[in-house]
Amino acid sequence: MALLEAAQIRNIALVGHGGSGKTSLAEALLFKSGMTNRLGSVPDGTSFLDSTEEAKEKLSSVDSALCHLVHKGLHVNILDTPGTPAFCGPAIAALAAVECAVVVISASAGIQVNTRRMIERAREYGLGVWIVINHIDAANVDLPAPVGQIQESFGTQCVPFDLPVAKATKVIDDFHNEKGDADFSTVSEAHIAVVEAVVAADDGLMEKYLGGELAIDEAEKAAPCAVASGAFVPIFFTNSRGDVGIAEFLDALTSFCPSPVTGLKRTLVSGESKTVLEPSKDRPFVGQVVKIVTDPKSNIKYEVIRVHSGKLASDMHVRTAHEPKGVRPGHVIRILGPDHKEIEAGVAGDIIALAKLDFHIGEVVYADKGGTIAMPKFPQPMFSL
């Protein structure tokens, strides 16, 4: 089986306040893409990702969950994170693994404390941001209201990529459609707004747009860079339990989500030396531990690693600051919720796992030259536990 190229990979973290529907959205994406054969439900206790007894008891995520899907030739890694402030550590650590933070907001609750905190941390760390307004089927919801709140709080670069239609039972893509009906605003106005947000990041494209010479394909190719730079923040509408907006979200990953090639590239710092890590599998291997999880059934500890450059195979020797002599990684594993599968190698841009090693979150794992890679900013603990 051919190894993945970095341009084929998308890495997203679902973040936001508790109860906004992050896990439900992840379940819907997995089911829609055929990765699971049923739609898991958090309230019913049948969630594929919230599989631990504690998560089922609380009916909410208490740790981040790694999963993946395949859609139109893309390999998409998803980190579903907890939304309560008490469990913010795994959510913040997840930002170190991705190029795009997908901030999920409940249409009925609007912007909440962790909504603001996670957007601030994603921007501080240099990630692109998507916003999802979920639960659009909730009773007595005024859907224009959260859009206005988002633009007032986070800037006018936040524009709807799609709009709800037919009383929020469907959505229409504003970027590729210039006309159409919507439950509020108009598709033509939204189309202009989203194209202008994309081209605002590129003076050459803006000049062509103002001159009436810009092809929609050119704007689409520029969109991932516009998202990565923060100039464009698309807003999506979804009803994750009702399969509304899920297909449109998946399709947008192909053209509007930064890949490891177009998104944030991490910098390896070693003494006075700084090296920007290019996501090529032909370079020396460098990765970073972003999550540690213990399987409750087998008690095996798994270290989840974001590969920033090179490739990681089972027969290599890898080092860390605590293991300078090197260790053999053994099996290279791909995680899908509670399930694990061995793969040939982890390549630049991918998120994989190793088992039974003594690594720490934030630690750099390398083949030849080590150092440190900055992690997102964590809050100061109030007490030790």
Side-chain angles (χ1 to χ4, degrees):
M1 185 176 178
L3 296 177
L4 291 169
E5 297 293 337
Q8 296 175 279
I9 299 171
R10 301 291 183 273
N11 298 307
I12 63 174
L14 304 181
V15 299
H17 202 81
S20 58
K22 299 179 295 298
T23 301
S24 296
L25 176 60
E27 298 276 0
L29 294 170
L30 291 174
F31 181 63
K32 190 73 173 178
S33 60
M35 298 302 293
T36 56
N37 56 15
R38 60 173 176 81
L39 180 61
S41 169
V42 175
D44 295 344
T46 61
S47 170
F48 181 71
L49 297 175
D50 282 353
S51 58
T52 65
E53 292 302 319
E54 188 176 3
K56 288 180 179 179
E57 182 182 330
K58 293 179 180 293
L59 296 180
S60 65
S61 303
V62 295
D63 196 1
S64 58
L66 175 62
C67 59
H68 65 274
L69 59 86
V70 177
H71 180 71
K72 294 187 175 179
L74 289 184
H75 176 87
V76 183
N77 291 310
I78 302 171
L79 276 156
D80 171 43
T81 71
T84 54
F87 299 108
C88 67
I92 295 170
L95 300 179
V98 303
E99 283 74 39
C100 187
V102 178
V103 183
V104 184
I105 298 172
S106 171
S108 55
I111 294 171
Q112 296 172 277
V113 174
N114 241 24
T115 313
R116 296 182 186 275
R117 287 178 178 171
M118 293 310 297
I119 285 184
E120 287 169 3
R121 280 185 167 79
R123 285 177 164 176
E124 285 173 5
Y125 192 59
L127 299 179
V129 174
W130 281 14
I131 294 175
V132 173
I133 299 175
N134 197 19
H135 300 156
I136 62 173
D137 59 319
N140 303 317
V141 168
D142 179 22
L143 291 177
V147 176
Q149 289 179 352
I150 290 165
Q151 291 176 335
E152 183 179 344
S153 299
F154 308 120
T156 55
Q157 72 272 32
C158 305
V159 292
F161 177 87
D162 53 38
L163 286 173
V165 300
K167 297 182 180 180
T169 58
K170 296 188 293 185
V171 299
I172 183 169
D173 173 352
D174 304 329
F175 184 82
H176 298 99
N177 294 287
E178 298 184 37
K179 296 179 181 179
D181 296 324
D183 290 346
F184 69 91
S185 183
T186 67
V187 173
S188 58
E189 287 179 7
H191 174 77
I192 292 169
V194 74
V195 172
E196 288 182 349
V198 169
V199 301
D202 189 307
D203 291 340
L205 287 179
M206 178 60 82
E207 190 174 328
K208 292 182 75 171
Y209 172 72
L210 294 175
E213 300 172 354
L214 180 72
I216 197 71
D217 290 350
E218 291 180 277
E220 190 167 358
K221 288 178 182 177
C225 292
V227 171
S229 71
F232 172 44
V233 179
I235 300 173
F236 298 83
F237 289 87
T238 62
N239 167 9
S240 52
R241 293 293 298 160
D243 192 22
V244 177
I246 303 304
E248 289 78 6
F249 182 97
L250 285 169
D251 288 343
L253 289 168
T254 60
S255 300
F256 290 83
C257 184
S259 72
V261 177
T262 54
L264 174 68
K265 295 181 179 67
R266 276 62 169 189
T267 300
L268 180 70
V269 179
S270 179
E272 298 295 316
S273 171
K274 294 184 179 181
T275 306
V276 176
L277 297 171
E278 294 295 334
S280 167
K281 60 176 180 273
D282 298 322
R283 291 177 178 256
F285 165 71
V286 178
Q288 186 175 33
V289 181
V290 294
K291 174 178 168 61
I292 293 174
V293 60
T294 301
D295 187 315
K297 295 179 181 178
S298 64
N299 285 324
I300 295 175
K301 185 171 76 170
Y302 294 93
E303 294 80 13
V304 176
I305 295 173
R306 164 62 197 266
V307 182
H308 290 300
S309 73
K311 65 180 179 181
L312 175 61
S314 60
D315 58 351
M316 291 172 52
H317 270 75
V318 296
R319 300 171 173 82
T320 70
H322 294 96
E323 294 281 359
K325 292 183 179 179
V327 294
R328 290 178 73 90
H331 302 307
V332 180
I333 298 161
R334 192 175 300 291
I335 292 180
L336 177 61
D339 298 335
H340 310 112
K341 176 184 176 183
E342 186 178 351
I343 59 174
E344 180 183 345
V347 297
D350 204 357
I351 302 173
I352 52 87
L354 304 177
K356 303 178 182 179
L357 297 176
D358 189 22
F359 296 161
H360 308 285
I361 289 179
E363 196 168 28
V364 172
V365 186
Y366 61 95
D368 296 320
K369 179 183 176 183
T372 60
I373 298 173
M375 288 286 286
K377 184 180 178 182
F378 288 86
Q380 188 68 29
M382 297 188 70
F383 63 92
S384 297
L385 181 64

